[in-house]
Amino acid sequence: MADRRPDLVALRLGYDAQDANVRVAILSQFPDLILGATASSDNSSVINGGPQATIGLPIFDRNQGNVAIANATRAQLHGDYSARLAAAAGQVGALLSEMDLLSEQLAIVRRDLPAARLAAERAANAFGASNLDERSYVDLVVNRYTKEQEVVTLELGLLDRQVALQTLVGAGLPPSKSCRVWITPKCGDEAARPSASGPAGWVRQFIAVRSCSYAFGAREPAEN
């Protein structure tokens, strides 16, 4: 997700650019020193020559102001990136929870649907033979159609959340090789991780495992 979503990639690239500015500011602490030689002559054929040294200013503040500004800007970009990544991870977790709930509800309705269909068919036969009153027949038929409608509604809800999940994680977008983001699992039981099967299995392996807590962020290069 972090190396596919355009907004996260843009924040990461902005952080990398500012990190380069920090390094430039740190290197600028040392004044420019230019060594050379000069030579001149006058009408009396007297030649003057000697070494020449040029040093840039300021010398004593070591560019501390610019270094502090660059560090503050980089810290702000890192905070923006971490906040956006945390929000996206939370949204992924919420969608996976909703998908789990919908899947459980769909399994229950699918389990009860054959019995409702059988009851409706038997009711139709009994009503045709005048062995069942019309009210009971209508109730059983309506119950069948209600179960079928619930199945369709739950399936559509799952599909909607799968689309939202794939959009959220940037599925199908090419990964950015410039992003240096890690997600570290801290699981008590590695076997608790779900497999990659199913519509959201690969996303679960990446973000949301119920028995795991995840630490995520951007690796900051060490300053010289």
Side-chain angles (χ1 to χ4, degrees), residues 58-184:
I59 299 176
F60 302 106
D61 71 346
R62 299 178 59 194
N63 203 33
Q64 291 301 302
N66 291 333
V67 172
I69 294 173
N71 277 322
T73 303
R74 183 179 67 171
Q76 179 182 1
L77 290 172
H78 183 271
D80 293 342
Y81 175 83
S82 299
R84 185 72 61 86
L85 185 60
Q91 292 172 350
V92 168
L95 284 173
L96 290 174
S97 297
E98 293 179 8
M99 291 174 66
D100 284 342
L101 180 59
L102 290 174
S103 297
E104 293 174 1
Q105 294 174 348
L106 181 60
I108 294 173
V109 176
R110 282 176 173 170
R111 182 194 63 192
D112 298 338
L113 182 58
R117 287 174 173 171
L118 180 60
E121 292 176 0
R122 291 178 176 177
N125 294 332
F127 180 72
S130 299
N131 294 327
L132 186 68
D133 62 278
E134 185 176 358
R135 175 62 183 274
S136 298
Y137 165 70
V138 170
D139 288 343
L140 291 172
V141 172
V142 168
N143 181 62
R144 170 191 174 177
Y145 290 143
T146 300
K147 294 291 184 183
E148 292 176 344
Q149 184 178 7
E150 288 180 4
V151 169
V152 174
T153 301
L154 291 171
E155 288 176 345
L156 287 176
L158 273 175
L159 290 175
D160 288 341
R161 283 156 181 80
Q162 289 173 15
V163 171
L165 185 62
Q166 292 179 0
T167 303
L168 186 62
V169 301
L173 296 176
S176 173
K177 297 180 180 180
S178 62
C179 290
R180 297 169 293 174
V181 179
W182 85 99
I183 296 181
T184 305

